[in-house]
Amino acid sequence: MKRFTLLCAIALIMASHSALAKTVSVVASFSVLADIVRHVGGEHVKVTELVGDNGDPHVFEPSPKDSQSIAKSDVVFISGLGLEGWIDRLIIASGSQSKIVTVSTGVSPRKIEVNGKTLTDPHAWNSAHNGALYARNIMQALIAIDPQDVDYFREHGETYIQKLEKLDAWAKAKFISIPQAKRKVLTSHDAFGYFGAEYGVQFLSPVGLSTEAEASANDVARLIDQIKKEHITTYFIENQTNPRLVKQIAKASGAQLGGELYPETLSSANGLTGTYEAAFRHNVTTLASSMK
C-alpha cells in the first residue's frame, strides 16, 4: 500500500511538472540566430526564423505571415547593430507586445569609415567569441521569460557556450600557423570584419557592409590594383550573394576561386552547413586550406 501511495505521489509530481513546463514561442530574425536559440533552448522553445536558409538579411522583404508570427510570439531575438533594418517596421505592423531582445548586446562594435560616414559592422557572429556572447544573452533572456525552467536553460546554454569557446580557440590555432602574408583573401562583400579581427585574416571586397551597396568603377579599379600589389591569389563567393562582380574582379586580377563561404545564412538543415557551428567550421577550414 505504501509503495502504491509513493508511486501515485511521484506520478502526481511528474504530471504537475509537465503541466507547468512551458514552451517559449520564439521568432529569430535569421537562420544563424535561430540555430543558436534552438541549441540553447532545446525542447523548451519553438523557433520561427524570418530570413530562412540561403536568404539575405540585408534585403529581406517581410510578408504578412512574418507579422503574424511576431504577433503570436513570446520573444523576438534580433542580432542588432543595424543588420535588420526592416525589423522595427515589421514589429509595429504586427501590433506585437512581445519582448524584443538584441543578442549582440556586449559586443565591441566594429566601425568603418565610408564616404565620410561612420558605419557599424553588423556581422558580429562571424567571430565565435561573439557567438558565445550571443548564446549567453539568449540563455539569460529565456530564463527571464521562463524562470521555472532555469536549470534546463542554464545546462543547455552553458554546454553550448563552452562548445563555441572551444570553437573560437580552434579557429585561432588554425590560422596562427599560417604566415600573415598569406592570410589575405577576396570576398563578395564586407561580412568578415569581426572574423578578420579575431583570427588575423585580411579580407578585401568590392561591396561594403550591406549587399545593397554598389561598388563604383573607381572602387573596383582600385581594388584590382590592390589585389595585384598585395599578391592576393584567392577569392571566395558567398552562398547568399550574386558572385558576378567578385568573379569579374578575380579574372582581372588573376585570383583563383577558393570555395564558397557562409557569412550570413545557413544551408538547409540537412546540409553541410545547416548549423551555426558547422558553417563557422566550414568557413575556417575552407579559408585556411586555401592559404596553405
Side-chain angles (χ1 to χ4, degrees):
M1 186 66 179
K2 288 182 179 180
R3 177 179 171 79
F4 176 76
T5 302
L6 178 61
L7 290 173
C8 287
I10 293 172
L12 285 171
I13 291 171
M14 293 179 65
S16 175
H17 177 76
S18 178
L20 290 172
K22 179 179 180 180
T23 299
V24 181
S25 178
V26 174
V27 168
S29 60
F30 69 122
S31 59
V32 171
L33 192 50
D35 179 69
I36 298 175
V37 174
R38 291 187 182 103
H39 276 85
V40 173
E43 64 185 23
H44 285 289
V45 295
K46 181 180 180 182
V47 184
T48 300
E49 57 193 55
L50 298 179
V51 184
D53 303 336
N54 297 304
D56 186 338
H58 294 292
V59 298
F60 177 67
E61 296 183 1
S63 69
K65 182 180 178 181
D66 298 319
S67 180
Q68 293 168 10
S69 295
I70 288 179
K72 296 175 183 177
S73 69
D74 297 312
V75 59
V76 178
F77 287 112
I78 65 172
S79 184
L81 299 175
L83 177 71
E84 305 96 339
W86 37 267
I87 194 68
D88 289 341
R89 297 190 302 274
L90 180 58
I91 291 171
I92 291 171
S94 73
S96 174
Q97 300 299 311
S98 305
K99 183 177 179 62
I100 312 299
V101 176
T102 301
V103 302
S104 61
T105 299
V107 165
S108 296
R110 173 180 177 253
K111 304 284 186 177
I112 65 170
E113 295 291 327
V114 179
N115 298 324
K117 295 182 179 180
T118 301
L119 302 179
T120 300
D121 185 348
H123 307 91
W125 64 88
N126 280 321
S127 150
H129 171 79
N130 288 338
L133 189 150
Y134 275 35
R136 187 167 298 282
N137 287 337
I138 289 167
M139 178 183 71
Q140 292 171 346
L142 291 175
I143 289 171
I145 292 167
D146 180 16
Q148 68 197 24
D149 291 314
V150 57
D151 292 339
Y152 181 92
F153 289 135
R154 201 172 297 283
E155 179 183 354
H156 276 69
E158 292 293 349
T159 297
Y160 186 60
I161 288 165
Q162 289 174 18
K163 182 179 290 188
L164 296 183
E165 289 172 344
K166 290 179 180 178
L167 195 65
D168 177 55
W170 167 80
K172 288 174 179 172
K174 196 81 171 174
F175 288 109
I176 198 68
S177 61
I178 301 172
Q180 186 66 55
K182 289 188 175 183
R183 287 185 249 161
K184 299 177 182 180
V185 296
L186 170 67
T187 56
S188 297
H189 85 294
D190 190 7
F192 285 97
Y194 292 92
F195 186 109
E198 197 74 56
Y199 308 113
V201 179
Q202 181 182 352
F203 291 89
L204 300 177
S205 60
V207 177
L209 295 174
S210 172
T211 52
E212 291 181 294
E214 295 183 2
S216 69
N218 287 336
D219 290 337
V220 171
R222 281 195 297 268
L223 182 57
I224 291 171
D225 288 342
Q226 185 179 0
I227 291 169
K228 290 179 178 178
K229 183 179 179 180
E230 298 191 23
H231 305 291
I232 296 172
T233 59
T234 312
Y235 78 95
F236 294 86
I237 59 175
E238 300 168 6
N239 70 315
Q240 86 290 5
T241 61
N242 188 327
R244 179 184 57 81
L245 180 56
V246 72
K247 284 184 175 180
Q248 288 178 355
I249 293 171
K251 184 176 181 181
S253 64
Q256 300 297 310
L257 178 63
E260 184 176 46
L261 303 177
Y262 292 76
E264 295 179 337
T265 181
L266 306 178
S267 65
S268 59
N270 58 353
L272 292 176
T273 58
T275 67
Y276 169 60
E277 181 186 359
F280 180 84
R281 192 176 293 277
H282 166 86
N283 290 342
V284 170
T285 302
T286 302
L287 286 164
S289 296
S290 75
M291 296 170 188
K292 294 178 179 179

